[in-house]
Amino acid sequence: MPAEDDGPLAGESAGRRAELAASLSRVRARIADACAAAGRDSREVTLIAVTKTFPASDVRLLHGLGVLDVGENRDQEAAPKAAACADLRPALSWHFVGQLQTNKCGSVVRYARVVHSVDRPRLVAALGAQARRAGREITCLVQVSLDDQPGRGGAPAGRLAGLAAQVAGERGLLLGGNMAVAPLGVPPREAFGRLAALAADVRRVDPRAVMVSAGMSADLEEAVAAGATHLRIGTALLGGRPGLFR
Ligand SMILES: *Cc1c(COP(=O)(O)O)cnc(C)c1O
């Protein structure tokens, strides 16, 4: 990756910067419109740029455009990318949004500030142990499966409150709120409405756990309408990914 100096960007990089600036302003306008329609203040909504499959140079350009929250779904890709961006100031906040194996927790806690995909007791225990070892405090969102099908990760709705309580009781972890991916074949408005109701179960465990991570490129409007506080946006910002990586 070519180093990005303070000087004028080389041709290719300047072109990419312009492309990202344009898509960023389109996404910010969509968020502003969705907030206006929902009677919400857009400052309540954090945009997370999901940069999976895109190079660290794109993360650096987005940082230059004011994006400070970045999401990744695979540790093998995220760890080197976070290292390549560790010099940026203000520092980036890395969000781990993908299904997470317990043997990757030791690596993830070193760069991630927030893990969105906490969906089982064994993962809570592993994240807590690794966070304490690393001397870090990791904000955890409990992921709920809105169609109760395990394929895309997420705990069944009935297990959410128990899992949230486990996170709240685990030293090294902070309960942040909840997260979901809209299931296929269910209207996003309906799915996110269910998520909002489940968020109340999490806040009953800890009233400070107000984060609701929902909404991707195709359904951010529905997510904002349902009360999402964190949007995970990939394609609409960075462009299409090769089919292999979703
Ligand atoms: C890839 C991904 C996103 C971003 O999806 P887009 O449709 O590209 O905006 C959001 N959340 C998770 C969990 C992802 O894996």
Side-chain angles (χ1 to χ4, degrees), residues 107-120:
S107 172
V108 168
V109 299
R110 272 184 254 139
Y111 58 86
R113 194 172 68 78
V114 186
V115 174
H116 289 232
S117 44
V118 177
D119 63 357
R120 57 199 193 280

Side-chain angles (χ1 to χ4, degrees), residues 144-146 148 155-161 194 198 201:
V144 60
S145 163
L146 293 174
D148 292 328
R159 301 241 173 94
L160 196 64
R194 224 185 135 201
L198 292 167
D201 290 351

Side-chain angles (χ1 to χ4, degrees), residues 50 52 73 97 179 216-217 232-235 241 246:
V50 179
K52 64 189 182 198
N73 72 336
V97 302
M179 178 272 208
M216 316 199 318
S217 294
R232 308 179 309 268
I233 309 295
T235 314
R241 294 180 294 270
R246 295 205 51 230

Side-chain angles (χ1 to χ4, degrees), residues 47-102:
L47 166 64
I48 300 168
V50 179
T51 50
K52 64 189 182 198
T53 79
F54 291 94
S57 54
D58 277 355
V59 178
R60 299 182 73 89
L61 289 170
L62 285 167
H63 179 273
L65 294 166
V67 173
L68 294 179
D69 289 272
V70 187
E72 287 283 333
N73 72 336
R74 292 166 64 241
D75 175 61
Q76 302 93 297
E77 182 183 346
K81 223 183 272 186
C85 297
D87 60 312
L88 293 173
R89 294 295 176 274
L92 290 165
S93 289
W94 291 86
H95 297 252
F96 193 88
V97 302
Q99 283 177 266
L100 180 54
Q101 294 166 318
T102 51

Side-chain angles (χ1 to χ4, degrees), residues 23-29 31 42-50 62 66-71 93 95 215 217 220 229-234 236-237:
S23 55
L24 181 60
S25 61
R26 279 193 299 272
V27 168
R28 290 214 188 280
I31 297 171
S42 55
R43 284 170 301 188
E44 292 169 24
V45 177
T46 300
L47 166 64
I48 300 168
V50 179
L62 285 167
V67 173
L68 294 179
D69 289 272
V70 187
S93 289
H95 297 252
S217 294
L220 76 84
T229 63
H230 288 71
L231 306 173
R232 308 179 309 268
I233 309 295
L237 274 180

